[in-house]
Amino acid sequence: QVQLVESGGGLVQAGGSLRLSCAASGSIFSINAMHWYRQAPGKQRELVAALTSGGSTNYADSVKGRFSISRDIAKNTVYLQMNSLKPEDTAVYYCNVVRGPVGYWGQGTQVTVSS
């Protein structure tokens, strides 16, 4: 089983930065892909960033150049560095990992960006 524990959310002013962490219960060595999603109230959950086990990354156009996904295999942790935050980034952010055909989700962490 893969269990994910997220942290790092909070309240930040526009233009500020946050780093979200997603700690996995076991090694992420065998995980095929890692993702960060976000969901604002009343809106569909959307993919923000993706990272394959080979190191390739992809980002939503709305965050490209501002957000960066990374991993620390030794710590079994995936990160989302968020810079130049905007009020439109306000959402619950979810970590997602894929192992084979199965996806696993974290509990979500709230990010609120004030203007």
Side-chain angles (χ1 to χ4, degrees), residues 11-114:
L11 176 64
V12 65
Q13 289 186 316
S17 298
L18 287 173
R19 189 180 74 165
L20 306 183
S21 298
C22 174
S25 61
S27 175
I28 59 174
F29 178 79
S30 62
I31 292 177
N32 300 120
M34 293 140 278
H35 311 89
W36 285 96
Y37 287 77
R38 67 185 182 188
Q39 187 168 26
K43 293 189 175 182
Q44 190 80 18
R45 188 173 299 186
E46 65 173 342
L47 178 64
V48 174
L51 174 66
T52 71
S53 59
S56 298
T57 59
N58 285 285
Y59 300 94
D61 289 341
S62 59
V63 307
K64 193 171 295 183
R66 300 187 297 119
F67 290 11
S68 179
I69 186 171
S70 62
R71 61 183 172 179
D72 187 330
I73 296 177
K75 292 182 169 62
N76 298 318
T77 301
V78 181
Y79 303 97
L80 184 68
Q81 178 67 45
M82 306 185 295
N83 299 322
S84 302
L85 283 162
K86 305 175 180 179
E88 307 92 89
D89 297 318
T90 295
V92 177
Y93 284 72
Y94 297 91
C95 181
N96 166 265
V97 301
V98 177
R99 187 175 64 186
V102 180
Y104 301 88
W105 293 91
Q107 82 286 352
T109 184
Q110 176 71 47
V111 172
T112 303
V113 184
S114 65

